[in-house]
Amino acid sequence: FMTFSFFTSRNERILRVYRKRVIEINALEQKMRKLSDIQLREQTLFLRKKLKTSNSVASILSEAFATVREASRRVSGMRHYDVQLMGGMSLVEGKISEMRTGEGKTLVATLAAYTLALWGQGVHVVTVNPYLAERDSQLVAPLLEFLGLSVKHIAPEHNQDQKRDAYNADITYGTNSE
């Protein structure tokens, strides 16, 4: 019985594409580090314009992820690992990225949430309970607000005005029941 290396699984083909993208993101790291805080914040406007022109998330993904990674390093001292970048890519594509406790799901979600929020249509990050929605939104708000986006959470005890306000944010954290 012979096996051929060109018969690769769908998963391996996806991961190969993700690894190439990680190399692109890593190549942008020094450029991002040289930017002032103001210049890094201006990336949001630049990427929004580029997205409107290209109408393709793929055209901005590497720059968006590099921007979030650098902002996270500056704001919280946390730098996304390469595997977390790949998890973010999966989320941007609407796929599920399985991660164990402690592997940085909250940090991974910032990559996809920021990138998709550049469309200007609002992004919902769904967690399993109201506690996590509030906790995660509070953890990531400094990072995403640094980049010019608004972050809110919704909870069962919020009134209609509070929920409306949260839904009007760039990124809204909540549970599937909300």
Side-chain angles (χ1 to χ4, degrees), residues 148-165:
L149 299 179
S150 58
V151 179
K152 302 274 185 174
H153 78 280
I154 50 175
E157 67 273 8
H158 287 170
N159 64 39
Q160 288 304 101
D161 290 337
Q162 291 170 311
K163 288 181 180 184
R164 188 177 304 108
D165 182 49

Side-chain angles (χ1 to χ4, degrees), residues 4 20 55 95 120 143 145:
F4 298 99
K20 287 179 183 176
N55 208 26
K95 296 182 174 99
L143 161 60
E145 289 171 354

Side-chain angles (χ1 to χ4, degrees), residues 68 78 80-81 83-85 87-89 91 96-113 125-128 132 135-137 139-140 143-144 173:
V68 174
M78 292 188 281
H80 297 78
Y81 292 109
V83 69
Q84 291 172 318
L85 298 175
M89 289 176 221
L91 295 176
I96 294 171
S97 180
E98 183 179 356
M99 298 177 72
R100 294 184 179 150
T101 301
E103 289 186 338
K105 290 181 283 295
T106 301
L107 195 59
V108 168
T110 62
L111 297 161
V125 179
V126 179
T127 62
V128 295
L132 287 177
R135 184 204 71 178
D136 288 0
S137 69
L139 283 172
V140 303
L143 161 60
L144 296 168
Y173 279 76

Side-chain angles (χ1 to χ4, degrees), residues 2 6 11-12 25 32 38 43 64 84 94 113 116 123 125 145 161 163 169:
M2 293 177 35
F6 58 86
N11 190 51
E12 186 54 43
I25 296 164
M32 293 296 166
I38 292 169
Q43 281 291 107
Q84 291 172 318
L116 295 173
V123 171
V125 179
E145 289 171 354
D161 290 337
K163 288 181 180 184

Side-chain angles (χ1 to χ4, degrees), residues 15-29:
L15 290 176
R16 190 178 311 134
V17 171
Y18 288 178
R19 287 185 196 107
K20 287 179 183 176
R21 185 71 78 160
V22 166
I23 291 168
E24 291 174 20
I25 296 164
N26 288 339
L28 292 168
E29 191 161 11

Side-chain angles (χ1 to χ4, degrees), residues 41 44 48 114 142-150 170:
R41 281 186 197 103
T44 299
R48 277 190 166 151
Y114 173 80
L143 161 60
L144 296 168
E145 289 171 354
F146 175 84
L147 292 171
L149 299 179
S150 58
D170 294 309

Side-chain angles (χ1 to χ4, degrees), residues 4-16:
F4 298 99
S5 61
F6 58 86
F7 290 118
T8 58
S9 70
R10 180 177 184 275
N11 190 51
E12 186 54 43
R13 288 189 303 272
I14 291 168
L15 290 176
R16 190 178 311 134

